[in-house]
C-alpha cells in the first residue's frame, strides 16, 4: 500500500481570511440597509413639492389617476390635525400635516431599532421604545437615540382624500 505524502498546499494568510470575512459582512449589512437608504436619501434631498416626500398633490392631475389605479385610501384630509398627524398601523405609515394643506407621509418604523412609532403631537412623531422624536415636516431626527430620519412614503392628496402609493 502506498500513501501520498501529507504536505498541504499553501494556506491563505490570516489577513486574507479576515479581509474576506469583513468584506462579506459589509456586503450583507449594505444589502440589508440598501432599500431604506435609497428611500430616505431621495426623500430628504428633494424639495417640499416632491410627491415621493409626501407633498400635497391637488386638483385633477395625475393624482386622481393614482387613486383609481389601486392606491390605498388612508383618510380624509380633515382627519389629519394641523401640526400633528395620524398613524396607520396596518399600512405601516404615519401621515402628518405640518402646515395647513400640506401633507407628508413617513414610515411608521423607527430607524433606531425598528419599533413602531406610537404618537404624533406638538410637531413630533414619537417612538415609545427609546423616546426618539422625528419632525412632522420632514421626518428628520429631533431627539435621539435615532440618528436617521424616517423614510418618506408616497401619498397623493386628491380633493379631500389621502391615498397611499
Amino acid at each position: 500500500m502506498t500513501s501520498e505524502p501529507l504536505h498541504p498546499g499553501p494556506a491563505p494568510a490570516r489577513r486574507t481570511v479576515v479581509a474576506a470575512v469583513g468584506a462579506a459582512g459589509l456586503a450583507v449589512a449594505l444589502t440589508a440597509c440598501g432599500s431604506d437608504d435609497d428611500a430616505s436619501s431621495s426623500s430628504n434631498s428633494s424639495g417640499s413639492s416632491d410627491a415621493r416626500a409626501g407633498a400635497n398633490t391637488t386638483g385633477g392631475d395625475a393624482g386622481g389617476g393614482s387613486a383609481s389605479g389601486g392606491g390605498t385610501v388612508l383618510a380624509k384630509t380633515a382627519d389629519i390635525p394641523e401640526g400633528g398627524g395620524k398613524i396607520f398601523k396596518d399600512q405601516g405609515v404615519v401621515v402628518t400635516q405640518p402646515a395647513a394643506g400640506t401633507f407628508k407621509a413617513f414610515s411608521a418604523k423607527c430607524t433606531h431599532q425598528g419599533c413602531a412609532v406610537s404618537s404624533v403631537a406638538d410637531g413630533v412623531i414619537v417612538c415609545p421604545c427609546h423616546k426618539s422624536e422625528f419632525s412632522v415636516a420632514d421626518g428628520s431626527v429631533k431627539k435621539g437615540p435615532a440618528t436617521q430620519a424616517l423614510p418618506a412614503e408616497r401619498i397623493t392628496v386628491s380633493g379631500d382624500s389621502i391615498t397611499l402609493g
Side-chain angles (χ1 to χ4, degrees), residues 120-138:
V120 184
D122 301 322
V124 294
I125 303 164
V126 180
C127 177
C129 294
H130 298 103
K131 305 300 182 220
S132 289
E133 296 180 359
F134 303 90
S135 168
V136 297
D138 60 8

Side-chain angles (χ1 to χ4, degrees), residues 71-156:
T72 303
V73 176
L74 292 174
K76 299 288 185 193
T77 55
D79 297 337
I80 311 300
E82 186 177 342
K86 185 173 179 182
I87 299 165
F88 298 89
K89 290 181 183 180
D90 291 345
Q91 292 80 15
V93 69
V94 57
V95 176
T96 65
Q97 184 178 190
T102 301
F103 298 89
K104 304 281 184 168
F106 307 98
S107 169
K109 183 177 177 181
C110 180
T111 57
H112 176 237
Q113 288 190 339
C115 295
V117 298
S118 63
S119 64
V120 184
D122 301 322
V124 294
I125 303 164
V126 180
C127 177
C129 294
H130 298 103
K131 305 300 182 220
S132 289
E133 296 180 359
F134 303 90
S135 168
V136 297
D138 60 8
S140 64
V141 177
K142 295 295 224 176
K143 178 181 161 194
T147 59
Q148 293 182 337
L150 292 175
E153 296 288 338
R154 184 182 179 103
I155 58 170
T156 302

